[in-house]
């Protein structure tokens, strides 16, 4: 599992609709587990897949393609989950 930290580097407003559509597609495909905003600074995405696969996917984010965001990646293997979220465990 990969945490994708999204950091704004420019004005994302003109690209927000395309970014949200990209996220919704990833949710429907099962790649994206959850996503949320960090007010004013960026966002956090949690995705399934190996790091190279998620890095390639994140490079297609409309924010990245427009040059208004950058990413950091944190890979981890969950070992515990709250009731109802057991499907996140390997």
């Amino acid at each position: 599992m990969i945490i994708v930290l999204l950091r704004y580097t420019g004005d994302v407003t003109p690209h927000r609709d395309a970014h949200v559509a990209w996220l919704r597609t990833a949710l429907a495909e099962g790649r994206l587990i959850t996503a949320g905003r960090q007010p004013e600074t960026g966002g956090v995405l949690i995705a399934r897949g190996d790091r190279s696969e998620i890095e390639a996917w994140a490079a297609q984010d409309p924010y990245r393609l427009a040059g208004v965001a950058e990413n950091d990646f944190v890979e981890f293997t969950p070992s515990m989950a709250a009731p109802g979220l057991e499907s996140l465990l390997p």
Side-chain angles (χ1 to χ4, degrees), residues 7-78:
R7 185 175 56 263
Y8 300 153
T9 60
D11 182 10
V12 299
T13 305
H15 313 286
R16 184 166 287 127
D17 289 345
H19 171 76
V20 170
W22 174 77
L23 291 172
R24 290 187 192 281
T25 297
L27 282 168
E29 293 172 348
R31 175 188 314 273
L32 185 63
I33 296 169
T34 190
R37 293 179 69 192
Q38 291 180 298
E40 311 293 325
T41 63
V44 177
L45 316 175
I46 299 179
R48 297 177 196 268
D50 65 42
R51 185 176 177 133
S52 62
E53 177 181 271
I54 298 305
E55 286 180 358
W57 166 73
Q60 299 306 307
D61 180 346
Y63 287 172
R64 291 270 308 275
L65 294 173
V68 295
E70 296 177 346
N71 295 119
D72 292 312
F73 301 89
V74 179
E75 188 171 0
F76 77 105
T77 302

Side-chain angles (χ1 to χ4, degrees), residues 74-89:
V74 179
E75 188 171 0
F76 77 105
T77 302
S79 58
M80 292 185 262
L85 298 177
E86 294 86 0
S87 65
L88 298 178
L89 298 174

